[in-house]
Each structure stands twice: as C-alpha cells, then as structure tokens.
C-alpha cells in the first residue's frame, strides 16, 4: 500500500506538472497579444513580451473610433444572443418530438436527420437557396439556417431519453399535454445539456465570418466583428494606411498593435463567458454516458 501511495503521488505530481506546462503554453499567446496591444510601439524591441511596455490604450481608442468595429460588435452580439436562443427553442422541441415512440414514422425521421450529419448539399446550392428565399443581404441569414442543429438535437434527445419516464407519466395523468410536458417538466431538467449546446452555438455564432463573406459582402452594415478583423488583417499593412484613416501620430500606433487590439476585442467576450458555463458544459458533454 505504501509503494502504491508513493507511486500514485508521483503520478499525480507528473500530471499536475504536465497540465501546468500545457496551461502556460496556451496562455503565453494570449498574454503576448494583450501586452502587445497595450504597449507603445516605439518601446518595442521585438521578441516575446509578457508585460506592456509604455502602457497605452491608443490602439483600443482607434479601434472603437472605427464605425465598422462598433457596427461589427453590435451585429456579432446580436447574432450571438438571438441565434443560440432560436436554435435552443426549435432544436430542443424537435429533439423532444423524436423521443416520442408513438410518433408515426419516428424511426425514419431519426435516420433522416442523422443522414444530414454526413452529407450536405454544398456551398453553391446553399447560396442559391438563400438567394431564392431572399435572405442574402439580411440579418436573418445568420439566424434561420442555424435554427436547427442536428448535432445538438442528438445531444438533447439522448439527454431527454435518460430522464425518468415516471415524471412524464405523472404529468400526463394530471392532464398535461405535450406542450406543458415539454416546457414545464422536460425543459427545466435539461439545463445542463442546454448550457452545453448554447455554448457550442454561441462560440460558433461569435467566431463565424464565412457566412458574412458569402451572403453579406455587399452589406457593410451587416459585417460581423470577425469579418471586420478579417478585413483589417488583410488591408492594414502599413502606417500610411492608418494615416489615411486619420492617424497622425506615427509613434502612437502601428498596424500590428491595431491588429492585436481588435483580436483582443474579438476573443475576450467568449473567454469571459466560458468559465460561468463550464460546469454545465462538462455535465452536458457527459450526456448519455451514465444511465440508471
């Protein structure tokens, strides 16, 4: 027992050390980006920096002075709130329906939805469909195509199937219909898996920019923050370009610090939200692994 205890201690110590190294390796790039964005360019000597040199907020002031950034923040926040909320409502109801054995053709519908996980129509048919539905150049193109997520539906369906059937039977005996059964009984019990799928979808909505590039390139008022960052990284490559945009102090800002500032603005919201949903996220990921 003593040898096993010593061996276990050594093993745990190795694991802690290994995870600490991984943590440091993952944090260093974020610390570097934040420190660089808060530093005065004239004091930068190159190499890795972990603390700001010549603390300044000029890059952030410049970022928020750009109307495209403010508009991008608004669009990204709006789609990150509305998109996951709509997805959760419709996807959870579809998942509940697929758990009903009395539904005619339920086995076919289950296979039909799973089929879409492996095969898709492709980008061109999707673009033509969005154009036919008059969704291109609109905010709804960010929301409606993602209202149903089959992957999230499978997670929610599995979670619902693991719930005690006695709760449903008791509610039905009290006269509850399917709407009351879902919203009063099932919905409150599914919060862990809901937190997981909402986090999945929120990160996807916040980070997405390809749909902006495909459907809303001609609508600058609908650019997301990620797409603004994408354009910034492609277009701002010299101090002269910043001067054209109104920058007069050469030493106060460089394209690199501006890029770093927008990167921080883009990453920070999700990084702040994730810790609050982590415990629900982990529990939701374990859905279906333990039953009984």
């Amino acid at each position: 027992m003593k040898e096993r205890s010593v061996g276990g201690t050594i093993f745990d110590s190795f694991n802690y050390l290994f995870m600490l190294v991984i943590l440091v390796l993952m944090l260093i790039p974020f610390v570097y980006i934040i420190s660089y964005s808060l530093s005065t360019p004239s004091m930068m000597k190159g190499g890795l920096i972990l603390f700001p040199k010549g603390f300044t907020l000029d890059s952030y002031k410049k970022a928020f002075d750009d109307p495209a950034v403010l508009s991008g923040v608004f669009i990204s926040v709006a789609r990150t709130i509305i998109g996951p909320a709509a997805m959760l409502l419709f996807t959870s109801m579809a998942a509940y329906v697929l758990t009903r054995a009395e539904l005619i053709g339920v086995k076919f519908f289950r296979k039909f939805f799973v089929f879409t996980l492996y095969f898709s129509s492709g980008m061109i048919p999707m673009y033509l469909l969005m154009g036919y539905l008059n969704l291109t150049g609109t905010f709804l193109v960010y929301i409606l195509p993602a209202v149903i997520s089959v992957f999230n539906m499978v997670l929610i369906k599995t979670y619902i199937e693991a719930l005690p059937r006695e709760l449903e039977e008791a509610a039905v005996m009290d006269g509850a219909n399917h709407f009351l059964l879902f919203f009063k009984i099932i919905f409150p019990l599914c919060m862990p898996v809901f937190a997981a799928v909402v986090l999945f979808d929120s990160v996807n909505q916040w980070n997405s920019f390809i749909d902006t590039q495909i459907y809303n390139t001609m609508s600058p008022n609908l650019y997301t923050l990620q797409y603004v960052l994408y354009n910034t990284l492609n277009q701002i490559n010299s101090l002269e370009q910043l001067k054209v945009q109104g920058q007069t102090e050469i030493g106060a800002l460089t394209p690199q610090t501006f890029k770093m500032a927008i990167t921080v603005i883009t990453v920070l919201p999700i990084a702040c939200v994730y810790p609050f949903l982590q415990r629900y996220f982990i529990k939701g990921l374990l859905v279906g692994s333990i039953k009984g």
Side-chain angles (χ1 to χ4, degrees):
M1 293 296 294
K2 184 176 181 179
E3 292 180 356
R4 291 182 61 186
S5 178
V6 172
T9 302
I10 295 176
F11 181 75
D12 290 341
S13 300
F14 175 80
N15 280 340
Y16 290 139
L17 180 61
F18 178 74
M19 295 306 299
L20 180 61
V21 172
I22 297 297
L23 176 64
V24 171
L25 292 177
M26 294 180 66
L27 285 179
I28 285 178
F30 292 102
V31 174
Y32 172 76
I33 292 174
I34 295 174
S35 299
Y36 199 111
S37 66
L38 295 173
S39 300
T40 300
S42 59
M43 300 182 63
M44 300 295 293
K45 303 297 182 180
L48 179 66
I49 61 170
L50 299 179
F51 300 97
K53 295 182 179 181
F55 181 85
T56 178
L57 295 175
D58 288 342
S59 56
Y60 291 93
K61 293 178 181 177
K62 176 62 181 178
F64 284 108
D65 284 341
D66 186 354
V69 173
L70 294 177
S71 176
V73 170
F74 175 78
I75 295 297
S76 293
V77 170
R79 69 177 294 181
T80 303
I81 294 175
I82 299 174
M87 181 279 301
L88 179 61
L89 177 62
F90 292 100
T91 300
S92 61
M93 289 194 296
Y96 170 76
V97 170
L98 292 180
T99 63
R100 304 297 92 183
E102 63 272 19
L103 175 65
I104 300 176
V106 64
K107 293 183 179 180
F108 167 79
F109 289 119
R110 290 172 181 171
K111 294 178 181 178
F112 175 80
F113 281 114
V114 172
F115 178 84
T116 63
L117 288 174
Y118 299 96
F119 301 94
S120 64
S121 60
M123 183 181 297
I124 295 178
M126 190 67 176
Y127 179 82
L128 295 176
L129 176 61
M130 294 300 105
Y132 178 78
L133 296 175
N134 294 322
L135 291 177
T136 54
T138 68
F139 178 76
L140 289 178
V141 77
Y142 299 140
I143 307 300
L144 294 183
V147 161
I148 295 295
S149 170
V150 177
F151 177 77
N152 293 339
M153 183 192 302
V154 172
L155 288 180
I156 298 173
K157 171 184 170 294
T158 306
Y159 194 93
I160 294 176
E161 290 175 338
L163 296 176
R165 301 290 295 184
E166 290 78 6
L167 295 175
E168 299 183 21
E169 294 173 358
V172 171
M173 291 180 63
D174 290 337
N177 55 29
H178 283 293
F179 283 98
L180 289 176
L181 181 60
F182 176 72
F183 286 106
K184 295 293 185 179
I185 305 298
I186 303 299
F187 199 92
L189 295 175
C190 291
M191 288 304 169
V193 70
F194 286 169
V197 299
V198 165
L199 185 58
F200 279 141
D201 202 60
S202 297
V203 172
N204 181 64
Q205 288 279 9
W206 179 262
N207 290 333
S208 181
F209 72 94
I210 294 297
D211 48 5
T212 303
Q213 189 176 33
I214 296 174
Y215 304 120
N216 288 334
T217 304
M218 304 303 294
S219 303
N221 60 314
L222 294 175
Y223 284 179
T224 61
L225 183 59
Q226 297 288 352
Y227 191 68
V228 173
L229 173 62
Y230 172 79
N231 287 336
T232 300
L233 296 177
N234 286 333
Q235 296 174 0
I236 302 180
N237 295 311
S238 66
L239 278 174
E240 286 71 20
Q241 289 176 302
L242 290 177
K243 287 182 181 181
V244 170
Q245 296 176 8
Q247 179 65 32
T248 56
E249 297 181 8
I250 297 178
L253 188 62
T254 65
Q256 190 68 12
T257 56
F258 189 56
K259 294 175 184 178
M260 295 296 185
I262 296 184
T263 302
V264 172
I265 295 172
T266 304
V267 173
L268 194 59
I270 292 296
C272 292
V273 170
Y274 180 79
F276 296 99
L277 296 177
Q278 183 178 13
R279 59 172 180 158
Y280 297 107
F281 175 74
I282 295 175
K283 188 175 180 180
L285 286 181
L286 295 177
V287 55
S289 60
I290 300 176
K291 293 185 179 180

